[in-house]
């Protein structure tokens, strides 16, 4: 392990213990579970309650937007001292009550209100969990474990729901139960670290971490970049199935295989980041995965052979998971209070909400090859600002820990 892989006590961040892991990662997963269960929720609404696909889609979109708005509105409170506990408890309680009512009260008005309220509560859970990530040492490792936990639990839930029957009780009841269980762990969330001086570091001693003008610009820029990145990524995912059928003659079985192996690839990618943490560096790996992701988007619109299309989509999903984790690590490292990691998933959901319309419009107007070019160019355009912001996050994290920043390429990859 690198000698820099453990931060000293002066950084204000705390070690990752079993209780903190259960609380931080569990609450974050529950908060973001709504977005992962969208297809199952739509099936349940159309199958049991007779909603049209369009009406079900509108209702779930409203729930996701409520989640995003709640996350953004509570992010400042979550990053303040003690506020994350209130936000987490209220958010998880609303999630359990809202989705629980939708699952077990067979009334359309109750279902509609419950799903929107549940989404609103989930936003609070996302905000509190994201803010708490900032209090943990080694942001790269913590974000990697968080991403791995998210994908692992979602995979288990997606496997369990078909076995139980894709109805309202399983689609919404399981989520309500997870929220109730996570509610019991809120006392284990790490609090906001006490502010520390940056003296003895490469930053001036008068600089207060998380409050400098440079840090604020970096944080705001990161949120904007993340929303645009989410739009470009999820636009491709929105048309992946139809594109596979149209240009690569991929059937439903093939797409099912792509989904399964994509989930496995994401688990592997997030596990690697979680295990190796800072030894991989942050800025260089982020640059590499963004460039690779952009190139795979270009290929996705031109591949016509089923096997190669499967390989491209699976590789792209794997790279996507790694990029997501590294961007989250940048937000965590920028401010130990969680000022930027708290709203990060909220802006992701906003970008993601517009992805289906954006992706289908591009593919219809420019063809799949044209869509791939546009989405790849979006990724390449975000490359420079994200690299700059990542370097800033490295300097801030190093200053708080009283050590030197990670070395630049090529040493960063082995630091």
């Amino acid at each position: 392990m690198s000698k820099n892989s453990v931060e000293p006590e002066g950084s204000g961040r705390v070690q990752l213990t079993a209780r903190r892991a259960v609380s931080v990662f569990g609450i974050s997963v529950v908060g973001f579970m709504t977005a992962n269960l969208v297809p199952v929720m739509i099936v349940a609404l159309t199958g049991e309650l007779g909603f049209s696909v369009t009406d079900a889609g509108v209702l779930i979109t409203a729930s996701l937007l409520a989640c995003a708005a709640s996350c953004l509105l509570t992010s400042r409170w979550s990053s303040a001292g003690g506020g994350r506990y209130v936000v987490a408890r209220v958010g998880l309680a609303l999630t359990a009550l809202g989705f629980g009512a939708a699952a077990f009260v067979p009334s359309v008005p109750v279902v509609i209100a419950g799903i929107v309220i549940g989404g609103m509560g989930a936003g609070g859970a996302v905000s509190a969990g994201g803010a708490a990530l900032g209090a943990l040492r080694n942001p790269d490792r913590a974000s990697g474990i968080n991403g791995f936990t998210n994908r692992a639990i979602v995979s288990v839930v997606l496997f369990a729901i078909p076995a139980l029957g894709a109805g309202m009780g399983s689609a919404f009841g399981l989520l309500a139960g997870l929220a109730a269980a996570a509610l019991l762990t809120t006392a284990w969330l790490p609090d906001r670290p006490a502010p520390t001086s940056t003296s003895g570091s490469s930053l001036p001693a008068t600089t207060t971490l998380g409050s400098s003008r440079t840090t604020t610009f970096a944080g705001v820029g990161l949120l904007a970049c993340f929303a645009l990145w989410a739009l470009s990524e999820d636009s491709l995912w929105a048309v992946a199935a139809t594109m596979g059928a149209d240009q690569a003659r991929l059937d439903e079985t093939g797409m099912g295989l792509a989904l399964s192996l994509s989930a496995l690839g994401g688990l592997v990618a997030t596990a690697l980041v979680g295990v190796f943490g800072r030894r991989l560096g942050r800025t260089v790996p982020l640059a590499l995965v963004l460039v690779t992701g952009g190139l795979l988007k270009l290929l996705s619109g031109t591949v016509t052979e089923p096997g190669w299309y499967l390989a491209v989509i699976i590789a792209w999903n794997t790279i996507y998971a790694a990029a997501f984790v590294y961007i989250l690590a940048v937000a965590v490292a920028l401010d130990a209070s969680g000022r930027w990691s708290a709203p990060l998933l909220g802006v992701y959901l906003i970008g993601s909400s517009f992805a289906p319309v954006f992706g289908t419009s591009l593919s219809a107007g420019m063809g799949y090859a044209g869509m791939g070019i546009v989405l790849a160019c979006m990724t390449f355009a975000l490359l420079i600002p994200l690299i700059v912001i990542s370097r800033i996050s490295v300097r801030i994290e190093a200053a708080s820990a009283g050590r030197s920043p990670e070395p630049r390429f090529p040493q960063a990859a082995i630091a």
Side-chain angles (χ1 to χ4, degrees):
M1 179 176 291
S2 167
K3 65 182 180 179
N4 291 333
S5 62
V6 178
E7 297 175 18
E9 296 295 333
S11 69
R13 300 180 192 261
V14 297
Q15 290 182 343
L16 178 62
T17 63
R19 284 190 172 188
R20 288 170 182 150
V22 169
S23 181
V24 175
F25 302 147
I27 290 172
S28 299
V29 169
V30 170
F32 207 54
M33 187 74 76
T34 307
N36 291 294
L37 296 183
V38 167
V40 178
M41 290 177 172
I42 290 177
V43 169
L45 287 168
T46 56
E48 281 197 19
L49 295 181
F51 278 65
S52 68
V53 174
T54 301
D55 290 342
V58 169
L59 177 57
I60 299 302
T61 298
S63 180
L64 291 175
L65 290 176
C67 180
S70 175
C71 177
L72 294 175
L73 290 174
T74 60
S75 61
R76 183 177 293 274
W77 194 4
S78 293
S79 61
R84 68 191 55 172
Y85 299 103
V86 177
V87 173
R89 286 163 184 160
V90 173
L92 290 167
L94 288 176
T95 303
L97 291 173
F99 289 133
F104 303 113
V105 180
S107 166
V108 171
V110 171
V111 168
I112 293 173
I115 290 175
V116 174
I117 291 173
M120 188 184 304
V126 168
S127 171
L133 271 174
L136 300 176
R137 296 180 189 173
N138 197 334
D140 306 288
R141 178 172 178 265
S143 299
I145 297 174
N146 181 70
F148 178 83
T149 304
N150 189 322
R151 283 184 170 257
I153 293 178
V154 168
S155 298
V156 171
V157 172
L158 288 175
F159 177 79
I161 287 177
L164 297 173
M168 297 294 290
S170 58
F172 295 98
L174 278 177
L175 183 49
L178 288 172
L183 185 59
L184 301 176
T185 72
T186 52
W188 298 343
L189 283 173
D191 204 350
R192 170 179 175 166
T196 59
S197 171
T198 63
S199 58
S201 71
S202 60
L203 293 180
T206 55
T207 301
T208 301
L209 292 182
S211 63
S212 70
R213 182 174 299 179
T214 299
T215 305
T216 300
F217 285 155
V220 172
L222 181 66
L223 296 182
C225 288
F226 198 49
L228 292 172
W229 181 81
L231 176 63
S232 70
E233 297 294 315
D234 286 358
S235 292
L236 177 56
W237 185 244
V239 300
T242 54
M243 182 165 61
D246 292 343
Q247 78 176 22
R249 304 176 305 282
L250 201 65
D251 57 17
E252 293 182 1
T253 302
M255 277 311 299
L257 180 62
L259 291 173
S260 301
L261 293 180
S262 293
L264 178 61
L267 285 172
V268 172
T270 52
L272 287 175
V273 179
V275 169
F276 291 102
R278 189 174 294 115
R279 283 179 289 177
L280 294 174
R282 180 182 306 144
T283 305
V284 171
L286 176 59
L288 290 176
V289 295
L290 288 175
V291 170
T292 305
L295 293 175
L296 289 170
K297 287 176 185 176
L298 279 175
L299 281 175
S300 68
T302 59
V303 176
T304 58
E305 201 278 322
W308 281 110
Y309 183 80
L310 273 176
V312 168
I313 292 298
I314 292 167
W316 165 71
N317 266 278
T318 302
I319 292 297
Y320 156 84
F324 189 103
V325 167
Y326 277 115
I327 295 173
L328 178 58
V330 171
V332 171
L334 276 175
D335 194 321
S337 72
R339 181 184 179 191
W340 306 112
S341 56
L344 193 71
L345 294 181
V347 300
Y348 175 89
L349 287 176
I350 291 177
S352 181
S353 298
F354 293 97
V357 173
F358 188 64
T360 52
S361 298
L362 283 178
S363 61
M366 306 177 65
Y368 294 124
M371 179 199 69
I373 292 173
V374 171
L375 297 182
C377 288
M378 289 179 66
T379 301
F380 296 144
L382 294 171
L383 179 63
I384 298 302
L386 284 174
I387 289 176
V388 172
I389 295 169
S390 177
R391 288 299 306 167
I392 293 172
S393 78
V394 170
R395 291 200 301 269
I396 290 173
E397 183 194 359
S400 70
R403 56 177 171 77
S404 300
E406 70 177 356
R408 296 180 182 271
F409 184 84
Q411 290 89 352
I414 58 173

